[in-house]
């Protein structure tokens, strides 16, 4: 059995695998830190956490603006339906995208209630009524008022305010205490959802779906997996890692391209949680739904007095320019994860290029050129190292023929090391520069994959939506061709099995790219073409320099040396 020397292409694939394993291991062994104050208080705060109200049959009050169509349940006052007018449904471009819904195949609603000092919902038996069952925005703002009969001397009106051109909805309670004694009331805001995957999500195109919370107290964007909440529910515990007490921030749910969240600390508005008075709660409900919400501190309303409670709900696309206007650090809902440090500035550059060029597809091509130019020195070093390895490949093949037996492996390794020293070759020289660049490549991947700005954005000709797969598979086919050319530019492995694998690998990878968004495949095709051009140029330079350097002719041993033959 002969020891095989991997090809350059195989080393590049190994580098990518090592980088991915490294990032997975980092996330496993170095998870986001849990705040100390949260750890101490987890088991004590369960009773004080927000409680979602059960869902009943919807009595619809319809609202239409230029950005959304909303359905409010007249009885409970919940926001039970929301479609986004400017975004197509994933599987039917003739329909608008549905974010909120109150039944199969999706349950996803926003709730808001008044609670007493013990966290009990005082509106559980309320029956709100609306003056009209359907309203349309005609000016800059539209108010939808729901009024409930007084209970125990407390009169409550609930008002939704929709704004032209906005995905931000203001929800306020106007409370009048007509009783003869003071009442103590606070508010509870919830996003309630099932754990179904968004339409169109597949094995190769999945991103995080579930609860999120950001507070300045933890100064961390925290995600709580549905599976973690399932374990807590089954064990009757509350051990999920997130900040329980908050002095601001936001809490809600995210999915690919879209987010919904209650804003505790608006960018330009009143903080609901002054002095750390808010309590965050994220849990699985007995109804097999999941809630992420916040309770504000209860305040006294004197007899004959009144009080207004207001909060903002964002429910819409993860457009970076919009997110930055909603709340501090709200742009983190576009979840780049561990590669945020690379993906965020890359998107800023892409967005700037789009502002100049006016087309997201061409902006991606120019961005690829810029990134390739910045990484040119590292790539140059890697490809030169690969070219040197190719130049001495005949000598390496000769050594393998000289030492064909397993017991000669040590001697062959010693001669290989000597060959590397004599030729001034670093065997890892082609690998390490690629490893250094891997976080940038991963950042580019997530930046393009998560950019809702590319949804319904055309490039040219047959590409009408860069967020969807190429309808005619032209880009994936080009991707397969460029990968095949890269393998042809690398010497084939001496092992026939490995050589065969290198031939079919472009086909295997191209199958994945058939399901990728066209924007991602466009980036990889352009990147591959630039890589091929750079590698071809270096190969030519290396080949032209070889005779001038007086490279000795390599003797390839076709027969095994006598001293290595086994005695019969």
């Amino acid at each position: 059995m002969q020891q095989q020397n991997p090809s350059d292409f195989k080393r590049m694939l190994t580098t990518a695998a090592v980088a991915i394993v490294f990032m997975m291991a980092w996330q496993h062994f170095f998870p986001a830190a849990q705040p100390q104050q949260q750890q101490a208080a987890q088991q004590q705060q369960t009773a004080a956490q927000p409680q979602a109200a059960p869902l009943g049959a919807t009595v619809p009050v319809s609202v239409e603006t230029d950005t959304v169509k909303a359905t409010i349940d007249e009885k409970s006052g919940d926001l039970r339906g929301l479609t986004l007018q400017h975004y197509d449904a994933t599987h039917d471009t003739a329909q608008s995208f549905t974010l909120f819904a109150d039944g199969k195949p999706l349950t996803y609603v926003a709730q808001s209630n008044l609670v007493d000092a013990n966290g009990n919902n005082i509106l559980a038996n309320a029956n709100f009524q609306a003056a009209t069952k359907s309203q349309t925005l005609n000016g800059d703002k539209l108010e939808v008022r729901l009024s409930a009969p007084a209970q125990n001397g407390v009169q409550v009106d609930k008002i939704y305010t929709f704004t032209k051109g906005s995905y931000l909805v203001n929800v306020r309670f106007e409370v009048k205490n007509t009783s003869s004694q003071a009442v103590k009331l606070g508010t509870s805001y919830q996003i309630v959802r099932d754990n179904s995957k968004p339409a169109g999500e597949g094995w190769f195109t999945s991103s995080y779906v579930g609860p999120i919370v950001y507070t300045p107290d933890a100064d961390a964007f925290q995600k709580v997996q549905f599976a973690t909440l399932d374990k807590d529910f089954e064990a009757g515990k509350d051990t999920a890692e997130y900040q329980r007490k908050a002095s601001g921030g936001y809490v809600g749910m995210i999915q690919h391209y879209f987010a919904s969240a209650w804003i505790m600390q608006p960018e330009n508005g009143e903080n609901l949680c002054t002095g750390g008075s808010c309590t965050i709660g994220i849990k699985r409900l007995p109804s097999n739904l999941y809630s992420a919400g916040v309770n504000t501190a209860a305040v006294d309303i004197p007899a004959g007095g009144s009080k207004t409670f207001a909060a903002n709900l964002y429910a819409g696309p993860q457009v970076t320019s919009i997110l930055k206007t909603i709340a501090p650090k709200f742009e983190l809902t576009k979840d780049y994860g561990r590669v945020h440090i690379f993906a965020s500035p890359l998107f800023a550059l892409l967005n700037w290029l789009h502002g100049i060029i006016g087309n997201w597809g061409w902006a991606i091509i120019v961005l690829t050129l810029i990134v390739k130019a910045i990484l040119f020195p590292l790539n140059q070093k890697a490809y030169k190292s690969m070219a040197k390895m190719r130049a001495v490949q005949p000598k390496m093949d000769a050594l393998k023929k000289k030492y064909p037996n397993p017991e000669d492996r040590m001697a062959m390794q010693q001669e290989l090391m000597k060959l590397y020293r004599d030729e001034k070759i670093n065997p890892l020289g082609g690998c390490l520069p690629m490893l250094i660049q891997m976080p940038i490549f991963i950042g580019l991947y997530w930046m393009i994959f998560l950019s809702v700005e590319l949804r319904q954005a055309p490039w040219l000709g047959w590409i009408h939506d860069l967020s969807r797969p190429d309808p005619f598979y032209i880009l994936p086919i080009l991707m397969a061709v460029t990968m095949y050319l890269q393998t042809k530019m690398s010497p084939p492995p001496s092992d026939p099995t490995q050589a065969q694998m290198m031939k079919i690998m472009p086909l295997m990878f191209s199958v994945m790219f058939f399901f990728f968004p066209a924007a991602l495949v466009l980036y990889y095709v352009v990147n591959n073409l630039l890589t091929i051009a750079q590698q071809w140029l270096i190969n030519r330079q290396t080949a032209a320099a070889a005779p001038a350097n007086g490279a000795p002719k390599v003797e390839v041993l076709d027969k095994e040396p006598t001293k290595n033959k086994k005695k019969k």
Side-chain angles (χ1 to χ4, degrees), residues 263-306:
I263 310 301
M264 296 175 274
Q265 183 182 2
E267 187 66 42
N268 297 301
E270 182 182 354
N271 189 343
L272 304 182
C273 308
T274 304
S277 58
C278 285
T279 301
I280 306 296
I282 299 175
K283 62 182 64 180
R284 175 179 157 183
L285 306 174
S287 57
N288 290 329
L289 298 175
Y290 301 80
S291 71
V294 56
N295 274 14
T296 64
V299 297
D300 287 319
I301 304 176
S306 62

Side-chain angles (χ1 to χ4, degrees), residues 447-469:
M447 181 274 289
I448 294 175
F449 178 64
L450 294 175
S451 292
V452 69
E453 290 85 350
L454 304 181
R455 193 176 176 111
Q456 298 164 218
W459 175 39
L460 58 79
W462 73 104
I463 302 293
H464 303 293
D465 186 345
L466 284 164
S467 71
R468 297 178 185 271

Side-chain angles (χ1 to χ4, degrees), residues 101-131:
D102 65 347
K104 294 185 181 301
L106 173 68
T107 298
Y108 191 178
V109 303
Q111 296 182 332
S112 48
N113 291 292
L114 292 174
V115 295
D116 62 21
N118 296 318
N120 299 313
N121 179 14
I122 72 164
L123 300 177
N125 298 315
N127 285 293
F128 285 104
Q129 291 184 337

Side-chain angles (χ1 to χ4, degrees), residues 480-496:
V481 171
T482 58
M483 289 187 68
Y484 177 75
L485 291 175
Q486 284 183 294
T487 62
K488 293 296 289 183
M489 296 178 72
S490 300
S494 52
D495 178 49

Side-chain angles (χ1 to χ4, degrees), residues 90-262:
T90 303
H91 291 311
D92 185 358
T93 57
Q95 301 293 323
S96 295
F97 179 82
T98 298
L99 184 61
F100 287 172
D102 65 347
K104 294 185 181 301
L106 173 68
T107 298
Y108 191 178
V109 303
Q111 296 182 332
S112 48
N113 291 292
L114 292 174
V115 295
D116 62 21
N118 296 318
N120 299 313
N121 179 14
I122 72 164
L123 300 177
N125 298 315
N127 285 293
F128 285 104
Q129 291 184 337
T132 58
K133 306 296 185 183
S134 179
Q135 299 191 45
T136 302
L137 174 71
N138 292 317
D140 292 332
K141 291 184 181 295
L142 170 65
E143 284 195 351
V144 180
R145 181 177 292 267
L146 307 171
S147 299
Q151 297 184 73
N152 300 319
V154 178
Q155 170 71 46
V156 179
D157 281 6
K158 185 174 185 177
I159 302 98
Y160 281 87
T161 302
F162 297 85
T163 303
K164 183 178 180 179
S166 178
Y167 296 98
L168 197 65
V169 180
N170 181 265
V171 182
R172 78 178 188 270
F173 292 97
E174 293 181 353
V175 182
K176 293 180 181 178
N177 181 9
T178 60
S179 70
S180 58
Q181 58 185 2
V183 295
K184 198 176 187 70
L185 296 178
T187 51
S188 178
Y189 303 101
Q190 306 289 319
I191 301 293
V192 178
R193 192 192 195 285
D194 60 28
N195 63 354
S196 62
K197 292 288 186 181
E201 185 164 298
W203 181 262
F204 301 117
T205 54
S206 64
S207 60
Y208 175 77
V209 179
I212 54 94
V213 59
Y214 171 82
T215 67
D217 312 81
D219 194 25
F221 180 77
Q222 297 172 304
K223 296 179 287 187
V224 185
Q225 302 279 351
F226 288 134
T228 301
L229 300 177
D230 288 338
K231 291 178 182 178
D232 274 1
F233 180 81
E234 292 163 2
K237 297 180 180 179
D238 180 30
T239 61
E241 296 184 6
Y242 63 89
Q243 180 72 21
R244 262 67 172 181
K245 281 294 185 180
S247 59
Y250 51 86
V251 60
M253 303 270 186
I254 63 170
Q255 65 186 65
H256 191 205
Y257 290 149
F258 302 98
S260 63
W262 287 104

